[in-house]
């Protein structure tokens, strides 16, 4: 028998041992750096001392810096905060679906959850003239309703909670196509101004970010993120297969339903806050898996936040320089990233199967 290779000792420099830094920690550092870059840099720059002065004065009621205080506290900071939170929510939602179903295509974008939110929001805007919080509430209700319909269809309507991944994906794709037709019909019936507002929302945008939305989203994540931690253990067992999970004492049907409910709620609250920012949930899990070498919920959440922050920085600050002043919705940039990644994923899967 070949002798086992002893584990590598940390490198020693002088009298100090260098402990390897985890890749998840590096992702967290990248998110923090990009968060502050989004607030401090861009078309309007703010120095670090001024930033802390502005925040401290805002919290204590101190004097404001003309112009800078408004830009930081009412535009840049809430935009970065909401971008980080929706990226986290989409990243976790996509990772939950993909891990449970063992299918990289099983993300809210692909299986119709985002389409349900979009269709409900468009109906609220075009038919009922809704705006603000009412549109977000309609999007949340639409996402939950479509998720229930997709799950019922894919599980054969028996309520057993044992829907196969392929059936769920196919059911979601079919329903998403039908909902897209509904959205297109309503867009043709709307006046030009309403259609323009709907189009911005459908692409996913952080332009309407404010502290009210940030507060609601924070409260939702304060409940849902711990729920993800609670379901993580049974989810890892579910990856072994239903029979093995049942043999290990996991209530398979209840665990699957819990994962679906949590994942749908995460995608729904994120969509309600900023619109269906496409492909974030789809991209976060596979990228996190390639960075860390394994499926990781924290890494997926961080990659989701990183994607949204990077895409929004490009859309708000760099795109106007390249497109003669045009500011893009963040969803346009993430969509441009997601389409080639999907093609690459399909090509690599075909090579593995060959």
């Amino acid at each position: 028998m070949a002798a086992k290779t002893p584990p590598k000792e940390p490198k020693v420099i002088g009298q100090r041992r260098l402990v390897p830094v985890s890749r998840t920690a590096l992702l967290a550092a990248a998110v923090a750096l990009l968060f502050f870059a989004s607030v401090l840099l861009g078309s309007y720059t703010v120095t670090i001392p001024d930033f802390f002065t502005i925040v401290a004065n805002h919290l204590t009621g101190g004097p404001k810096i003309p112009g800078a205080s408004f830009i930081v506290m009412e535009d840049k900071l809430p935009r970065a905060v909401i971008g980080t939170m929706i990226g986290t929510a989409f990243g976790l939602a996509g990772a939950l679906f993909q891990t449970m179903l063992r299918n990289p295509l099983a993300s809210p974008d692909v299986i119709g959850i985002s389409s349900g939110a979009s269709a409900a929001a468009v109906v609220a805007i075009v038919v009922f003239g809704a705006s603000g919080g009412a549109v977000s509430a309609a999007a949340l209700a639409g996402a939950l309703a479509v998720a229930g319909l997709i799950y019922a269809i894919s599980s054969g309507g028996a309520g057993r909670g044992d829907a196969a991944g392929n059936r769920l994906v196919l059911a979601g794709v079919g329903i998403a196509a039908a909902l897209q037709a509904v959205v297109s019909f309503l867009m043709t019936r709307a006046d030009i101004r309403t259609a323009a507002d709907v189009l911005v929302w459908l692409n996913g945008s952080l332009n309407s970010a404010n502290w009210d939305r940030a507060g609601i989203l924070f409260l939702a994540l304060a409940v849902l993120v711990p729920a993800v931690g609670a379901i993580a253990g049974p989810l890892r067992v579910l990856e072994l297969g239903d029979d093995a999970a049942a043999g290990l004492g996991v209530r398979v049907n209840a665990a699957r339903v819990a994962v679906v409910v949590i994942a749908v709620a995460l995608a729904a609250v994120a969509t309600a806050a900023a619109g269906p920012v496409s492909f974030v949930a789809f991209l976060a899990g596979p990228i996190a898996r390639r960075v860390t070498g394994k499926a990781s919920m924290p890494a997926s959440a961080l990659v989701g936040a990183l994607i949204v922050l990077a895409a929004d920085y490009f859309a708000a600050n760099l795109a106007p320089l390249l497109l003669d002043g045009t500011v893009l919705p963040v969803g346009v940039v993430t969509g441009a990233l997601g389409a080639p990644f999907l093609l690459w994923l399909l090509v690599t899967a075909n090579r593995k199967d060959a």
Side-chain angles (χ1 to χ4, degrees), residues 28 62 65 91 103 133 194 284 297 340:
I65 300 176
N103 189 331
T194 303
M297 292 297 159

Side-chain angles (χ1 to χ4, degrees), residues 203 277-280 283 311 330-341:
N203 284 319
V277 184
S278 59
F279 284 119
V280 176
L283 291 169
V330 64
V332 172
V333 181
T334 59
L337 293 173
F341 186 84

Side-chain angles (χ1 to χ4, degrees), residues 115 118-119 175-185 202:
S115 297
S118 299
I175 291 175
L179 292 174
Q180 184 59 44
V182 172
V183 170
S184 298
F185 171 76
L202 286 175

Side-chain angles (χ1 to χ4, degrees), residues 23-338:
R23 295 181 180 181
T24 303
L26 292 176
L27 286 174
V31 170
L33 287 174
L34 196 51
F35 178 92
F36 284 107
S38 300
V39 177
L40 301 177
L41 304 179
S43 56
Y44 187 92
T45 59
V46 181
T47 65
I48 295 176
D50 282 349
F51 170 75
F52 285 108
T53 300
I54 289 169
V55 174
N57 289 347
H58 182 82
L59 295 176
T60 60
K64 297 181 179 180
I65 300 176
S69 294
F70 178 83
I71 292 173
V72 171
M73 297 306 304
E74 302 301 327
D75 179 27
K76 286 197 162 197
L77 194 55
R79 188 185 188 105
V81 168
I82 289 182
T84 302
M85 288 194 291
I86 68 167
T88 298
F90 278 128
L92 287 174
L96 285 172
F97 275 120
Q98 291 164 353
T99 303
M100 181 189 73
L101 301 174
R102 299 186 293 277
N103 189 331
L105 295 179
S107 74
D109 312 281
V110 178
I111 64 175
I113 307 300
S114 297
S115 297
S118 299
V122 172
V123 169
I125 295 172
V126 175
V127 178
F128 299 103
S131 61
V135 177
S136 298
L140 181 62
L144 296 174
V146 169
L149 178 61
I150 292 170
Y151 194 81
I153 292 174
S154 62
S155 61
R160 297 170 296 172
D162 58 352
N166 289 338
R167 293 184 64 189
L168 191 145
V169 171
L170 291 174
V173 168
I175 291 175
L179 292 174
Q180 184 59 44
V182 172
V183 170
S184 298
F185 171 76
L186 291 173
M187 288 286 284
T188 63
R189 306 292 297 177
D191 62 79
I192 188 66
R193 292 184 179 179
T194 303
D197 294 338
V198 169
L199 188 60
V200 172
W201 194 91
L202 286 175
N203 284 319
S205 174
L206 295 176
N207 292 339
S208 58
N210 55 54
W211 290 115
D212 291 336
R213 291 191 179 189
I216 295 172
L217 187 55
F218 176 80
L219 292 176
L221 293 184
V223 174
L224 293 172
V225 171
V228 173
I231 201 65
L235 181 61
R236 283 193 292 268
V237 180
L238 283 177
E239 290 186 79
L240 302 175
D242 290 359
D243 294 337
L248 292 172
V250 174
R251 298 173 59 188
V252 174
N253 291 350
R256 284 186 179 276
V257 171
V259 171
V260 169
V261 169
I262 294 169
V264 169
L266 283 165
V269 296
T271 302
V277 184
S278 59
F279 284 119
V280 176
F282 173 71
L283 291 169
I287 293 176
R289 193 175 297 112
R290 282 161 176 78
V291 171
T292 61
K294 60 181 180 180
S296 170
M297 292 297 159
S300 298
L302 292 169
V303 170
L306 199 60
I307 291 172
V308 174
L309 288 173
D312 185 59
Y313 186 86
F314 178 87
N317 299 294
L318 301 181
L321 301 177
L322 302 174
L323 301 175
D324 197 22
T326 301
V327 178
L328 297 175
V330 64
V332 172
V333 181
T334 59
L337 293 173

